[in-house]
Amino acid sequence: MTDILRLQFPQLCDEWHAYSVAYALLLGAAEKLNVPDNDLNVTITGGEDPDETAIVLYDNVPGGAGLVAQLVEEEAFSKVINSAINRVSGNCGCDSSCYGCLRSYHNQFAHPYLDRKWALEVLKDTQKNRH
């Protein structure tokens, strides 16, 4: 048993765009929680509507560590969004993704498909609509 944070973004209907946003959020959350990124994990699943995709962020330690539970507060989640935006803002200098923004050892399966520009667009739109 562990806590999960299920997030749905109206713009996400493509699997790889969802993974791009998901890994930006995972890495942003790890940074804000000051934990290694492998203490958290993320997956995607179906959304409320058949053509939507949802992101599920969860603790990656047996029994959970309460990390994801810390993100349900508005202020904490805003910090995660800001950190994720910073990661994918282009400071790394890559075209689509690299180890400076979205890639990690744990998401090798998705490397060819990750797109920091798409993640940035979705996250900025989310940030704008939250205020």
Side-chain angles (χ1 to χ4, degrees):
M1 296 282 286
T2 190
D3 293 320
I4 67 164
L5 181 59
R6 188 174 190 277
L7 305 164
Q8 196 154 331
F9 301 86
Q11 313 93 311
L12 293 183
C13 22
D14 175 79
E15 173 185 15
W16 299 113
H17 288 161
Y19 272 120
S20 296
V21 174
Y23 283 111
L25 289 169
L26 179 146
L27 294 167
E31 180 181 318
K32 286 301 153 193
L33 293 170
N34 199 26
V35 297
D37 61 19
N38 62 345
D39 281 2
L40 299 168
N41 208 345
V42 69
T43 191
I44 60 169
T45 186
E48 291 179 9
D49 293 329
D51 62 340
E52 291 179 336
T53 302
I55 295 170
V56 178
L57 184 64
Y58 59 95
D59 293 351
N60 198 34
V61 293
L67 298 172
V68 170
Q70 297 177 48
L71 303 178
V72 297
E73 294 183 26
E74 181 73 26
E75 184 178 337
F77 191 68
S78 289
K79 289 179 180 179
V80 169
I81 293 282
N82 290 337
S83 179
I85 287 171
N86 188 50
R87 287 195 70 81
V88 296
S89 65
N91 298 329
C92 57
C94 75
D95 286 332
S96 60
S97 71
C98 68
Y99 282 91
C101 60
L102 290 177
R103 293 182 183 187
S104 74
Y105 172 79
H106 305 288
N107 66 10
Q108 291 180 51
F109 72 95
H111 285 182
Y113 311 105
L114 295 175
D115 185 345
R116 70 167 183 79
K117 294 173 187 170
W118 177 258
L120 180 62
E121 183 179 318
V122 171
L123 293 167
K124 278 189 167 183
D125 190 46
T126 299
Q127 182 185 50
K128 179 176 66 176
N129 291 329
R130 292 175 59 90
H131 296 299

